[in-house]
Amino acid sequence: MEELTRLFRLAADHAADYRRSLPDRPVGAPPDQAALTRAFSGPLPATPCPAEQVVTDLLAAAEPGLVASAGPRYFGFVVGGALPSATAADMLAVGWDQLAFNAVTSPAAIAAEAAAAAWLKELLGIPTAASVGFVTGGQAANTAGLAAARHQVLADVGWDVERRGLLGAPPVRVIAGDERHGTIDRALRLLGLGVDAVQPVRTGPNGAIDLGSLRDVLKAGPAGPTIVCLQAGNVNTGACDELREACELAHRHGGWAHVDGAFGLWAAASPATRHLVDGLELADSWACDGHKWLNLPYDTAFAFCARPDTHAAAMSYAAAYLVGSGGVPTGANLTAESSRRARGFAVWAGLRELGRDGLAALVDRCCALARRFAEGLTAAGFEVANEVVLNQVLVGFGDDARTDRVVDAVQADGTCWAGGTTWRGRRFMRISVSNATTTEADVDRSIAAITRLAV
Ligand SMILES: *Cc1c(COP(=O)(O)O)cnc(C)c1O
């Protein structure tokens, strides 16, 4: 037992040391992927190895290839850094080694999910009766939401897609903005609807869908099973679709409204940004990430559905037993995973650590820091291409080649990290402020580095 304690402490001590080092260490990964691969490779061991030696070897092999994405100056990919309590809770989930399939395999895991689900719905303003699947990411949440949508719009015309599949089914049209996230397309592929099912809707100046275009596409038909994919938080600009009007339009045409709100749905958690997602409660399903702006560990996200029975009918493999049983389905009956890690502990812990006010402050702070970036970089003579409504900033440094050179230089420098993106046919640096520990000083230091490297 002493050995086990030593082993776990070794891992926990290292993780804590690493986290403490984040504000000061260079943000980028060194590019020597071959050396890392060499450090991990070697002949398959024929004989057992003491656990402590294994962990010591792992620390040595991995350390040079870690990216400080949990740190305060990492602005790529809408990445957050896991909150302390959530990180510790996740360590416990692994230490307890719980199987979060259902309340028989882990009563505690399911109870934590239930409590966290209620808090999440209250924070986001999602109807209290909605079901919540604790899934692995926005991709999985979009897939679950669109699976529920597929079930319902086909059931409405008398087609049982879970039994009969899509061969011979009435066609389903999917209406989605032309700046939707790529995971919507992958979900449509996985669900057999195919990307050709998409009727694209034009987006307006800041990347939110144009309501007039949505109206036209809905009207143009054909009538029949219709799914409308909306977005809260354009991955480039942060823009949110006008959800109230868009959901009403979708429903007027008998459609199902799904909202991809991987990060942008958190606008709902602050009184200052709530208006950006006004009307979100009218949707039928929502996808939202925990591991982005909520600063929870990977891999954590939520698939919400206004109709729990529909959700379970689409995702459960015990649907006959669950549907109509009266209770809201839980656990693996709401996700594509069967055996699952108990990610509810970390969600519960992170929400408890933040509280309602702490979460609102986190959202507000990130938005304010994004505006600080925009103001600072504008003052330095660079172009901010989007209206900074949330936590995303798109910066141009001249022509595409020059912008790409600046992005490369910033990544190599290591003071901060931001990715490149293409928006409306042009290259930009994309800055996402999503980390709970980022300060004004971090932003100022990053602006100084970017300015120094861009001249
Ligand atoms: C990140 C993101 C996704 C995908 O989420 P994962 O957690 O990476 O699976 C989907 N939609 C939007 C808008 C996103 O920003």
Side-chain angles (χ1 to χ4, degrees), residues 392-420:
Q392 307 291 306
V393 188
L394 292 179
V395 192
F397 296 89
D399 61 20
D400 286 357
R402 177 134 192 267
T403 294
D404 280 339
R405 271 202 306 278
V406 175
V407 170
D408 288 347
V410 167
Q411 291 178 0
D413 171 70
T415 303
C416 63
W417 201 98

Side-chain angles (χ1 to χ4, degrees), residues 77-78 136-140 142 181 183 231-235 260-263 289 291-292 301:
F77 305 108
V78 206
T136 51
Q139 172 73 73
N142 279 328
H181 196 270
T183 52
Q231 185 165 256
N234 177 306
V235 80
D260 175 4
F263 66 95
D289 263 320
H291 54 217
K292 286 181 178 167

Side-chain angles (χ1 to χ4, degrees), residues 7 10-11 14 36 39-40 49-66:
L7 180 71
L10 174 65
H14 176 84
L36 281 162
F40 277 98
C49 176
E52 198 168 323
Q53 186 63 51
V54 173
V55 173
T56 306
D57 291 350
L58 172 61
L59 292 175
E63 175 74 27
L66 298 176

Side-chain angles (χ1 to χ4, degrees), residues 52-454:
E52 198 168 323
Q53 186 63 51
V54 173
V55 173
T56 306
D57 291 350
L58 172 61
L59 292 175
E63 175 74 27
L66 298 176
V67 177
S69 52
R73 289 185 309 284
Y74 190 90
F75 304 108
F77 305 108
V78 206
V79 155
L83 294 160
S85 70
T87 305
D90 227 16
M91 290 179 179
L92 285 170
V94 176
W96 289 328
D97 200 14
Q98 293 295 284
L99 168 56
F101 180 77
N102 63 21
V104 173
T105 60
S106 182
I110 297 302
E113 284 190 5
W119 288 349
L120 289 164
K121 286 182 280 184
E122 189 176 335
L123 287 164
L124 292 170
I126 284 173
T128 52
S131 44
V132 189
F134 284 63
V135 296
T136 51
Q139 172 73 73
N142 279 328
T143 306
L146 292 174
R150 184 185 71 158
H151 169 89
Q152 193 61 51
V153 298
L154 285 170
D156 287 348
V157 293
W159 187 272
D160 181 347
V161 71
E162 280 74 32
R163 289 179 61 83
R164 303 174 73 181
L166 283 170
L167 284 182
V172 176
R173 66 172 176 151
V174 179
I175 296 174
D178 58 18
E179 293 191 24
R180 64 188 177 276
H181 196 270
T183 52
I184 293 287
D185 293 60
R186 180 152 68 175
L188 295 174
R189 279 158 42 198
L190 294 172
L191 291 167
L193 293 166
V195 289
D196 279 358
V198 175
Q199 298 182 344
V201 176
R202 256 190 301 109
T203 41
N206 206 36
I209 58 161
D210 178 88
L211 285 176
S213 174
L214 175 62
R215 200 174 291 117
D216 292 345
V217 173
L218 276 163
K219 259 204 214 126
T226 299
I227 300 169
V228 178
C229 294
L230 304 169
Q231 185 165 256
N234 177 306
V235 80
N236 281 314
T237 66
C240 299
D241 294 347
E242 290 170 81
L243 297 178
R244 178 174 302 283
E245 293 79 3
C247 288
E248 283 170 0
L249 275 171
H251 291 155
R252 212 171 300 146
H253 289 264
W256 175 286
H258 171 76
V259 178
D260 175 4
F263 66 95
L265 218 53
W266 292 110
S270 161
T273 44
R274 169 90 210 170
H275 66 279
L276 294 171
V277 288
D278 172 62
L280 79 90
E281 69 279 2
L282 300 177
D284 300 288
S285 56
W286 304 260
C288 188
D289 263 320
H291 54 217
K292 286 181 178 167
W293 210 353
L294 190 55
N295 283 251
L296 295 181
Y298 299 100
D299 34 24
T300 303
F302 318 106
F304 299 92
C305 184
R307 302 195 203 186
D309 283 355
T310 300
H311 191 165
M315 300 309 290
S316 165
Y317 60 87
Y321 146 74
L322 271 165
V323 174
S325 68
V328 174
T330 60
N333 290 308
L334 298 171
T335 67
E337 297 82 10
S338 178
S339 299
R340 298 185 314 136
R341 201 165 55 81
R343 54 180 66 85
F345 294 132
V347 183
W348 181 88
L351 292 175
R352 184 136 160 55
E353 181 178 331
L354 287 170
R356 187 203 311 272
D357 294 347
L359 177 55
L362 165 62
V363 170
D364 291 350
R365 194 166 59 245
C366 289
C367 292
L369 293 174
R371 289 192 300 271
R372 190 179 184 91
F373 257 121
E375 284 156 18
L377 291 168
T378 303
F382 308 119
E383 170 198 4
V384 171
N386 65 316
E387 189 195 338
V388 180
V389 291
L390 217 55
N391 59 341
Q392 307 291 306
V393 188
L394 292 179
V395 192
F397 296 89
D399 61 20
D400 286 357
R402 177 134 192 267
T403 294
D404 280 339
R405 271 202 306 278
V406 175
V407 170
D408 288 347
V410 167
Q411 291 178 0
D413 171 70
T415 303
C416 63
W417 201 98
T421 189
T422 300
W423 187 59
R424 305 267 161 101
R426 282 188 55 202
R427 298 289 296 158
F428 293 102
M429 174 185 283
R430 184 176 69 136
I431 296 173
S432 303
V433 189
S434 323
N435 190 296
T437 63
T438 305
T439 63
E440 290 187 348
D442 287 312
V443 171
D444 293 348
R445 203 171 140 191
S446 302
I447 292 172
I450 293 167
T451 305
R452 167 171 53 81
L453 294 158

